[in-house]
Amino acid sequence: MVALRFYATGSFQLVNADVHNISKSSVSNITRDVTQCLVRVCQQYVVMPTDPVELQSVMQGFYNVANFPNVVGAIDGTHIRIRSPSVDEHIYVNRKNYHSVNVQGVCDSDMKFMNIVAKWPGATHDAFIWANSNISEMFENRTIGHGWLLGDSGYPLGPWLLTPVLNPGTRQQQRYNEAHMQTRSIVGRSFGLLKSRFRCIDTSGGTLLYTPKRCCDIVIAVVVLHNMCIIHRIPLPADNYEDRGRLGRQHYNGNLNDGAAVRQRLINGRF
């Protein structure tokens, strides 16, 4: 309960200690231990499906949003504010000029996270995180044999990562962009819901006052709890962020750099 109160509110350790009538050091130790327990079970609750039947179910969920076919995930990044680190402080300053860790997530249409990367400083670009992530490797080595991720223009266009068309010149490209935006918006809502459930990682809860490594562990811990809530259909918070915002398998066997051709074929054939 001590750890859950911290995750939910982001309250200071002294406040949490007073509420539970325990020492401040006990709050720190409890939160650390519970966080580590959740990190250890992360792979049980944050899983990118590779089975064709499971992938087909994910694709159907996304197709129901805006008729965008063969989508196996929506990808985006979010910045979690942290205290200024004592080591390599400058690499944690993001483009908005505050200290953070840059977290990459891939979600399904139910807003459940299927992959999470929480280890990079705030100055790290989204494209770099993607290129060095295990989810990228899963597509490159064909562990995930078909389907696309949808990402914004900050990600590199690829045969399995589709981005919007910049300056669309045809009605087909406009329709593609509209469907892409509606479908991809789910990952933004997923991060919004995550932060509304667990204020410790939201600016409304202040700043995480721990080392970057421990902050990253806290992010993973609350993602695990978030997925538990989705799996067990725990009701959404009253002030959740939800209000703010024919399937065929597509196998890819071509060159790794022809994402533009893959996207254009989709636009021509579907939109």
Side-chain angles (χ1 to χ4, degrees):
M1 294 304 297
V2 168
L4 289 176
R5 181 176 294 277
F6 165 73
Y7 298 144
T9 65
S11 59
F12 289 109
Q13 291 181 1
L14 183 59
V15 174
N16 216 346
D18 289 343
V19 168
H20 293 278
N21 196 29
I22 58 178
S23 68
K24 182 179 174 181
S25 61
S26 293
V27 170
S28 178
N29 292 336
I30 289 168
T31 304
R32 179 200 62 209
D33 292 347
V34 173
T35 297
Q36 288 303 313
C37 285
L38 290 168
V39 169
R40 282 196 293 270
V41 299
C42 177
Q43 293 185 351
Q44 299 177 33
Y45 289 94
V46 184
V47 182
M48 186 70 200
T50 57
D51 178 75
V53 175
E54 294 177 338
L55 288 173
Q56 191 70 22
S57 177
V58 174
M59 288 190 288
Q60 183 65 58
F62 278 113
Y63 185 81
N64 293 339
V65 176
N67 296 335
F68 201 115
N70 309 307
V71 177
V72 296
I75 184 171
D76 203 358
T78 191
H79 286 268
I80 306 300
R81 188 185 291 266
I82 66 171
R83 150 179 95 176
S84 174
S86 58
V87 179
D88 293 329
E89 174 270 340
H90 64 285
I91 66 174
Y92 289 90
V93 179
N94 63 30
R95 65 183 183 277
K96 295 185 178 179
N97 205 35
Y98 64 85
H99 296 89
S100 69
V101 290
N102 192 356
V103 177
Q104 174 184 282
V106 176
C107 74
D108 64 15
S109 61
D110 293 323
M111 296 193 287
K112 184 173 70 174
F113 286 96
M114 301 181 292
N115 185 267
I116 196 76
V117 179
K119 63 179 182 179
W120 295 102
T124 310
H125 195 277
D126 290 348
F128 179 88
I129 297 176
W130 157 254
N132 290 274
S133 66
N134 65 332
I135 187 71
S136 174
E137 184 178 348
M138 290 174 73
F139 280 94
E140 290 181 4
N141 64 22
R142 307 299 196 270
T143 301
I144 301 174
H146 60 279
W148 299 305
L149 294 178
L150 299 187
D152 63 24
S153 56
Y155 290 95
L157 174 63
W160 40 73
L161 202 170
L162 299 184
T163 59
V165 176
L166 298 179
N167 304 314
T170 68
R171 181 57 187 147
Q172 283 181 303
Q173 291 177 339
Q174 292 172 0
R175 286 197 295 266
Y176 164 87
N177 276 3
E178 290 167 1
H180 187 286
M181 181 182 66
Q182 290 180 46
T183 308
R184 180 175 54 83
S185 68
I186 292 175
V187 67
R189 300 206 307 272
S190 299
F191 275 123
L193 176 58
L194 175 71
K195 292 180 179 182
S196 70
R197 285 191 191 274
F198 304 106
R199 299 287 184 179
C200 68
I201 62 169
D202 187 57
T203 53
S204 64
T207 300
L208 285 175
L209 304 175
Y210 303 98
T211 64
K213 173 63 169 65
R214 187 164 176 184
C215 292
C216 291
D217 286 344
I218 289 171
V219 171
I220 293 173
V222 297
V223 167
V224 171
L225 291 172
H226 167 89
N227 279 5
M228 289 180 178
C229 291
I230 298 292
I231 293 169
H232 296 289
R233 302 184 184 278
I234 304 299
L236 306 183
D239 59 343
N240 73 83
Y241 288 17
E242 177 70 6
D243 295 331
R244 303 179 195 179
R246 216 157 297 229
L247 292 180
R249 296 181 187 172
Q250 299 291 319
H251 295 272
Y252 177 74
N253 298 303
N255 187 280
L256 298 185
N257 297 318
D258 63 0
V262 172
R263 183 176 66 183
Q264 192 58 48
R265 283 199 299 270
L266 171 66
I267 293 171
N268 293 340
R270 168 64 66 170
F271 297 95

